[in-house]
Amino acid sequence: MRRIHVGNALSAFGLGFTVPYLYVYVAQVRGLGAMTAGLVLAVFAVAALIVLPFAGRAIVRRGPLPVLLAALVMAALGALSLGLAGNAGAVLLSASALGAGQAVMQPALATMIVDCSTAETRSRAFAMQFFLQNLGLGVGGLIGGHLVDTTRVSSFTLLFAIEAAMFLLLVVVMATVRMPHAPRIAGVPGGSAKGRDSWKQLLGNRAMVQLCVLGFVLFFACYGQFESGLSAYGVEAAGISTSTLGTALAANTLMIVVAQFAVLKFVERRRRSRVIAGVGLIWAVAWLAAGYAGLGHGSQEMATAAFVSTYALFGLGEAMLSPTVAPLVADLAPEGMAGQYNSAFALVKQLALAVGPAVGGPLGASLHAPYVVTFLLFSLGITVLALRLGRRLTASQDQPWAAAKSRVVARGTTPVEPVPTEA
């Protein structure tokens, strides 16, 4: 588990190193224009949507570790070639390899965490994963910002080379991991029909389908707005400067880092469905704060404070979700199918992250009041969907800590048959 967490931190550090500067690199440093830069960002999403349906099946059949190692090598090659690419075709091909590798890492690492944890320790393991991911992204972005120089292509080549080196270092670290034997499903061996059967089985799990719908709304209403609709709204409606926008993003990361383990003990002893419902209410308050920032006609200082608070409240909700949603996906999966379920949920996340900016960007930039009202309603919808999901979950799925405690008590109080003795 320690090696897996190191892997999460290294992969996040590598991504934070380059992703914030990808647009500038393609559009300005390589001189390929805004259109090509936009296509590169779209290619990341498209590559993820293409590979994720197959990644889950590969994880089930081969195990998460070989799939992760293959994804890391692909991502390293994509990063290195991206730093050397000089024309649009090479840039797009490199971005597709990097995007596909990054997308497959997520469900593979999540499945490894599932295989190395128990129902009682899983929430804490995923909380640690989320904490290290955000820390790695923040540190990577900070160091990368000091290395890049828009007047020198070589500085970006070095940046992408370091990212590739991070992925290859992770290959070395993860190759030493000895995974526990994960249970396999009888009749899993290959063939397209079996692949279709596994997806049919997943879609037949009503609780998982409801969780996927809930997950889409979660990622659409929060993560899908961070760098598109909400930032555009802040600049256009609230008059937020780019430096203040950076402060707001830092407040989000700081809230996650500070609050993650503070809320963990509270969260892991509550019903998961109610925790997610509570996140919906917190995010509704965040959107009200955003509404005040852009529509409240207060002072610029108050608008700035409200806007930064919006990002901080989103961070609090994220800290509550990390030990809740990913373990719930694992607990809904039948034996041996965790990889398939993790990949399906990652696919839903990618869809939301692709649709969210496309919808939120134009709304946030021009239709300020409808934008806030729309996502306020989405946040309240999270609460409704979570409470409905709770009615489909078993006690061990919705509140594993209490279920485990009751099993221990039951084992401790089981009456013992008296042993007959001779008179």
Side-chain angles (χ1 to χ4, degrees), residues 77-93:
L77 291 174
L80 187 59
S81 59
L82 192 57
L84 299 172
N87 58 69
V91 165
L92 291 173
L93 187 62

Side-chain angles (χ1 to χ4, degrees), residues 24-415:
V24 173
Y25 169 69
V26 176
Q28 298 178 14
V29 177
R30 287 295 183 182
L32 298 176
M35 179 66 73
T36 303
L39 285 175
V40 166
L41 296 175
V43 159
F44 272 87
V46 172
L49 295 177
I50 291 173
V51 299
L52 280 172
F54 303 100
R57 195 64 190 162
I59 292 171
V60 170
R61 293 182 61 191
R62 304 296 181 189
L65 185 55
V67 175
L68 174 64
L69 296 178
L72 288 169
V73 172
M74 178 180 288
L77 291 174
L80 187 59
S81 59
L82 192 57
L84 299 172
N87 58 69
V91 165
L92 291 173
L93 187 62
S94 302
S96 64
L98 180 57
Q102 289 175 4
V104 176
M105 285 181 213
Q106 299 176 32
L109 283 166
T111 306
M112 291 175 73
I113 290 176
V114 172
D115 290 346
C116 292
S117 62
T118 64
E120 291 77 23
T121 63
R122 200 160 288 150
S123 293
R124 191 165 292 272
F126 277 104
M128 177 63 78
Q129 179 201 34
F130 190 67
F131 171 82
L132 291 173
Q133 281 180 340
N134 280 275
L135 195 60
L137 285 169
V139 173
L142 183 63
I143 296 176
H146 285 85
L147 290 179
V148 295
D149 182 352
T150 55
T151 64
R152 292 189 301 115
V153 174
S154 60
S155 68
F156 283 87
T157 302
L158 174 63
L159 204 68
F160 285 104
I162 293 174
E163 180 183 27
M166 287 294 103
F167 290 136
L168 293 177
L169 175 61
L170 184 49
V171 169
V172 175
V173 172
M174 300 311 291
T176 65
V177 173
R178 295 293 176 263
M179 295 294 297
H181 178 71
R184 296 172 60 87
I185 298 179
V188 157
S192 57
K194 293 295 182 183
R196 286 195 295 270
D197 287 346
S198 66
W199 280 101
K200 183 178 179 181
Q201 180 186 3
L202 188 151
L203 293 173
N205 186 331
R206 296 291 298 276
M208 183 60 188
V209 171
Q210 285 192 12
L211 180 58
C212 285
V213 173
L214 175 58
F216 181 89
V217 178
L218 281 168
F219 292 115
F220 177 77
C222 174
Y223 298 93
Q225 304 308 312
F226 270 3
E227 297 175 3
S228 58
L230 191 54
S231 58
Y233 169 84
V235 171
E236 298 293 339
I240 299 299
S241 66
T242 53
S243 61
T244 303
L245 184 58
T247 302
L249 289 166
N252 174 264
T253 303
L254 181 63
M255 175 62 81
I256 292 170
V257 171
V258 171
Q260 184 63 84
F261 295 104
V263 303
L264 179 60
K265 186 168 289 189
F266 170 81
V267 165
E268 64 185 358
R269 284 168 170 73
R270 301 295 185 279
R271 292 184 181 275
R272 287 168 170 169
S273 57
R274 293 181 183 176
V275 170
I276 301 172
V279 170
L281 295 178
I282 291 172
W283 285 357
V285 175
W287 284 107
L288 288 174
Y292 174 80
L295 309 171
H297 306 295
S299 66
Q300 187 59 46
E301 291 76 14
M302 292 297 294
T304 298
F307 191 75
V308 172
S309 298
T310 299
Y311 276 80
L313 287 169
F314 274 124
L316 177 61
E318 292 172 74
M320 294 170 64
L321 287 176
S322 61
T324 306
V325 175
L328 180 55
V329 174
D331 289 347
L332 286 173
E335 275 194 349
M337 290 290 288
Q340 184 88 32
Y341 277 56
N342 282 323
S343 294
F345 198 75
L347 180 63
V348 168
K349 178 181 178 179
Q350 287 295 330
L351 282 170
L353 294 181
V355 175
V359 174
L363 271 178
S366 55
L367 302 173
H368 303 146
Y371 176 70
V372 171
V373 171
T374 297
F375 285 95
L376 173 63
L377 293 176
F378 268 108
S379 297
L380 295 175
I382 290 170
T383 300
V384 174
L385 289 171
L387 293 175
R388 290 186 62 186
L389 173 64
R391 292 197 285 269
R392 283 200 173 272
L393 300 177
T394 64
S396 60
Q397 291 167 346
D398 201 17
Q399 199 174 11
W401 178 80
K405 185 178 178 181
S406 65
R407 285 196 298 270
V408 171
V409 171
R411 283 199 297 266
T413 57
T414 301

